[in-house]
Each structure stands twice: as structure tokens, then as C-alpha cells.
Amino acid sequence: MSPPAPSVFGLKGLDHVVLRVEDARAVIDFYVQVVGCAVEKVQADVGLFQLRAGRSIIDIIPIDGKLGRVGGAPPGAEGRNLDHFALAVEPFNEAAIRAHLAAHGVEVEESGRRYGAEGYGPSIYIRDPAGNVVELKGPSGPSPA
């Protein structure tokens, strides 16, 4: 692989992710009540809901709103607009996280140690109400042998 090209800027991390969804209320409730985001800004006139996720933002765009219609058809099982995204979470107590998710009716699809921006660490994969895969990524630890 080639080394990165010289640049006039440095990358700091994930700024925001934009999700086009059919049921904005269900998706917003999921990210606020289950994941712990806070509603930061609402621009109802264009159909944009911005949720604070630590240092990042998750934008929710209803497909029937002004911005959502620009993007075309809604995402579906055969044409996702995103594979998954990972939210760094700390502390990472898997039993407590699983109990919290279960209390909200959210199923864990997969869990294990995976490599991420800070190295190997625990992670749990879940789905939001729009079908987007969300990885809850814990802090890095010793690399697997």
C-alpha cells in the first residue's frame, strides 16, 4: 500500500455520519434513549436532525423531507447507504451493555474483539430501527496473540 500523500491538513477523526431514514422518530429515539446521544440541533424546515455522539454528530434525514427527497429512494435490504459505523464507547462493560440493550429490545447481532482506530478492543454490533448496523467499540487493549 502507498503511504498517504502529503496534505495541507491532518485528519482528526469522524466528524459526522448522515443516515437517510424512513421513520425519523424511531431512529432519533433509538440514538437518544439506547445509545445516549443528545439532540443538538433541529432544522425541521429542511428535514435535518443532528444528534451529538461524543465529539461527533449523527445526522438523521427523513427521506420524505426536503433534504431526504434529494437523495432519491430510501435505503433497503438490497441497497444500503452504509455498511456500518462505529461509536467509541467507554467504559465497556459487556454484561452491562447487553442488559441495557435487552431492556430496550435491541438484539446483539455479533460481539468480539476487533481492530479499530485505537487498536484491538471489544465491540458489539447492533441495528438501529432503520436497519443500519452500529458497532459499539470499546477501548483498545493488548493485541490478540
Side-chain angles (χ1 to χ4, degrees):
M1 294 193 335
S2 301
S7 178
V8 297
F9 59 85
L11 296 175
K12 291 172 42 178
L14 182 65
D15 184 81
H16 70 277
V17 173
V18 180
L19 301 176
R20 297 177 66 246
V21 303
E22 292 185 84
D23 187 348
R25 178 51 41 211
V27 173
I28 291 166
D29 286 349
F30 173 83
Y31 285 101
V32 170
Q33 296 173 9
V34 178
V35 178
C37 294
V39 176
E40 180 157 314
K41 188 174 181 183
V42 175
Q43 297 179 56
D45 56 325
V46 295
L48 174 60
F49 301 86
Q50 296 179 295
L51 310 178
R52 174 61 57 187
R55 292 179 292 189
S56 302
I57 295 285
I58 301 172
D59 289 343
I60 307 298
I61 297 179
I63 60 159
D64 60 353
K66 185 175 181 179
L67 287 177
R69 287 189 297 273
V70 173
E78 299 301 318
R80 306 285 330 146
N81 63 350
L82 177 73
D83 177 74
H84 83 277
F85 67 93
L87 296 172
V89 300
E90 195 171 357
F92 192 95
N93 177 323
E94 186 166 346
I97 292 170
R98 283 178 174 271
H100 173 74
L101 295 171
H104 287 278
V106 177
E107 291 183 34
V108 171
E109 293 196 356
E110 193 176 330
S111 66
R113 288 183 52 81
R114 291 184 181 75
Y115 190 78
E118 297 178 353
Y120 283 97
S123 77
I124 292 176
Y125 281 77
I126 58 177
R127 285 190 190 266
D128 72 15
N132 295 300
V133 177
V134 180
E135 179 181 358
L136 303 177
K137 181 76 172 66
S140 64
S143 296

